[in-house]
Amino acid sequence: MKKRVLLVAMLQLFMVLGGCSSDSGNDSSSVDKQKITADYVADVASTSDFVISNDNRVYLYGEKDFELKEIDLTGKVTSLKAFLDANFLNSRLSISKTGEIFLISPESDLNKDKIFRFENNFKELNIFYTMKPVSSPFATKIKLTSIAENKDNTYFVYDFNNKQMKRFIPELNGDVFVAGSEKREIKDGTGLNAGFSIVTKILSQNNVLYLIDNFDPGNSEKSFSSNIRKLEYVNNEWKVTTLLSSTTETFIDLAFDSKNEFYVLIKDKGISKLNLQSNTLSAFKEGQFEVRKENHFYGFPSKDIQSMKIKGDDIYITYANYLIKISDFQTKFAAAEKK
């Protein structure tokens, strides 16, 4: 009787264990079914932002551990600089053509108007530049929430508090006004006649800046909208044009590949492509996202991708505690769809 009870218990335990699943494992039969092979899957904790160097090293700032990390070409993660407090919560990064890494800290009351630079082999984070105060009676202290290198050793930044886009020029140790009416509005136009709300992303491509600008209606009767906008220099002035606006979807990231195809990450949906001729979206990767690396596999909904960057034909995405690199992603994604 005791042997029979023991046998039944062991069978029940086996069935429970056999029914469990996880994001990764060594089940070769399951792994063989995965369609996309990753170059690496790095465990990095939650990500605030990351940049990619000329030699394809990734520099990532952690949202939970407040660390700057380096990920080498094999996926090895190294901690470079740790912060002892949350003064740099939700920080954003930018990288120069020569590999200098800059940081802005939107949530720090003392530092939100400053651009920092990592120095001394990433051991130090020092103030590199403090933005000039806005010369307006209605202006408040500058709060930088987005930054992007323009591929010409200048940087475009967004001042959330004053609803203005500015350009930082290191060689002149100064910054200049680009556009913004100081009003919370989505308004196309040039210079002071253009309006912004919450610019969460700036991306430079072929001398044009592409923005994600989410309209916050506040207490007004207007509706929320998520907008993809273009900022370009035309006839000696900066012109802002809204390419796409949605009241039902939220755009969270932008990227171009080597073929100049434009990708948009959409919250709770996945990755789409934006046709810049018709300004229309088409699905690129939705549904389940499954990748393999050697004898491990990782599966999660595409709608849960948190951020993405593309360099050439390589895509880098963050999900939960992982940063995943997939080289030649267009070919691999297309092949996966055919299976």
Side-chain angles (χ1 to χ4, degrees):
M1 182 67 180
K2 289 182 179 181
K3 291 183 178 179
R4 182 178 298 176
V5 171
L6 180 59
L7 179 60
V8 171
M10 290 178 65
L11 287 172
Q12 289 176 334
L13 178 61
F14 176 78
M15 292 174 65
V16 169
L17 291 175
C20 293
S21 62
S22 64
D23 285 340
S24 63
N26 292 317
D27 185 348
S28 59
S29 62
S30 296
V31 170
D32 289 340
K33 296 177 183 178
Q34 307 311 307
K35 301 180 178 68
I36 298 173
T37 300
D39 294 63
Y40 60 72
V41 179
D43 192 342
V44 294
S46 183
T47 302
S48 178
D49 198 12
F50 68 96
V51 292
I52 307 164
S53 68
N54 290 333
D55 62 357
N56 295 322
R57 294 176 184 271
V58 173
Y59 295 91
L60 177 148
Y61 184 77
E63 181 67 23
K64 294 180 179 179
D65 54 14
F66 311 118
E67 281 189 352
L68 180 73
K69 302 181 181 72
E70 178 190 78
I71 306 174
D72 69 11
L73 276 62
T74 68
K76 179 183 176 182
V77 181
T78 303
S79 177
L80 300 177
K81 172 68 177 176
F83 299 86
L84 299 179
D85 53 44
N87 280 338
F88 293 95
L89 178 69
N90 199 32
S91 291
R92 295 290 179 261
L93 302 177
S94 186
I95 189 167
S96 72
K97 292 188 295 184
T98 58
E100 294 179 306
I101 298 179
F102 297 92
L103 176 147
I104 59 172
S105 182
E107 306 304 327
S108 172
D109 288 336
L110 293 176
N111 300 315
K112 59 189 178 184
D113 61 341
K114 297 175 176 60
I115 298 174
F116 291 82
R117 183 175 67 177
F118 287 94
E119 299 174 347
N120 190 18
N121 199 26
F122 303 105
K123 295 178 182 178
E124 299 176 3
L125 180 66
N126 297 318
I127 296 173
F128 185 67
Y129 182 75
T130 301
M131 300 294 293
K132 295 183 300 185
V134 178
S135 57
S136 166
F138 306 104
T140 59
K141 183 176 180 179
I142 289 172
K143 178 179 179 178
L144 302 179
T145 56
S146 297
I147 182 171
E149 203 272 332
N150 194 44
K151 302 177 183 178
D152 61 359
N153 198 35
T154 69
Y155 298 79
F156 282 81
V157 294
Y158 182 63
D159 174 9
F160 170 80
N161 281 351
N162 297 290
K163 304 295 183 283
Q164 290 184 344
M165 192 73 63
K166 296 186 175 182
R167 191 178 195 177
F168 167 51
I169 308 172
E171 290 182 355
L172 302 178
N173 193 35
D175 64 86
V176 295
F177 169 81
V178 173
S181 63
E182 297 186 39
K183 299 176 183 178
R184 184 182 63 198
E185 57 184 356
I186 301 296
K187 181 182 177 184
D188 291 352
T190 58
L192 288 167
N193 295 317
F196 301 100
S197 184
I198 306 175
V199 176
T200 61
K201 179 72 177 184
I202 308 172
L203 176 66
S204 176
Q205 179 75 1
N206 299 330
N207 297 316
V208 177
L209 294 160
Y210 294 89
L211 320 173
I212 294 177
D213 191 357
N214 295 324
F215 178 69
D216 177 12
N219 296 323
S220 71
E221 296 180 356
K222 296 180 180 180
S223 300
F224 166 86
S225 68
S226 189
N227 306 275
I228 298 175
R229 312 183 75 191
K230 178 171 68 173
L231 176 63
E232 57 185 336
Y233 198 63
V234 180
N235 296 327
N236 297 319
E237 57 185 352
W238 288 98
K239 180 182 179 182
V240 182
T241 306
T242 301
L243 303 178
L244 185 65
S245 182
S246 175
T247 57
T248 58
E249 296 177 328
T250 301
F251 310 124
I252 56 178
D253 218 339
L254 308 172
F256 281 91
D257 69 7
S258 63
K259 300 176 183 177
N260 209 38
E261 294 187 322
F262 195 13
Y263 297 80
V264 180
L265 180 60
I266 304 175
K267 184 179 180 181
D268 296 328
K269 189 172 184 179
I271 303 173
S272 293
K273 280 187 181 182
L274 176 61
N275 184 321
L276 289 174
Q277 301 300 316
S278 61
N279 292 331
T280 55
L281 287 170
S282 59
F284 176 71
K285 181 59 183 175
E286 298 179 359
Q288 188 72 359
F289 194 105
E290 295 183 338
V291 298
R292 59 176 291 180
K293 175 58 181 171
E294 297 174 346
N295 290 330
H296 298 269
F297 69 90
Y298 305 79
F300 51 89
S302 297
K303 68 182 182 67
D304 290 342
I305 297 173
Q306 296 162 331
S307 63
M308 70 172 181
K309 283 184 171 55
I310 296 173
K311 185 180 178 188
D313 294 320
D314 302 341
I315 191 170
Y316 301 75
I317 65 171
T318 62
Y319 159 74
N321 293 332
Y322 301 111
L323 187 144
I324 303 171
K325 177 185 177 182
I326 302 170
S327 61
D328 192 18
F329 76 96
Q330 305 98 324
T331 301
K332 292 177 181 177
F333 280 41
E337 291 299 319
K338 294 179 181 179
K339 293 183 179 181

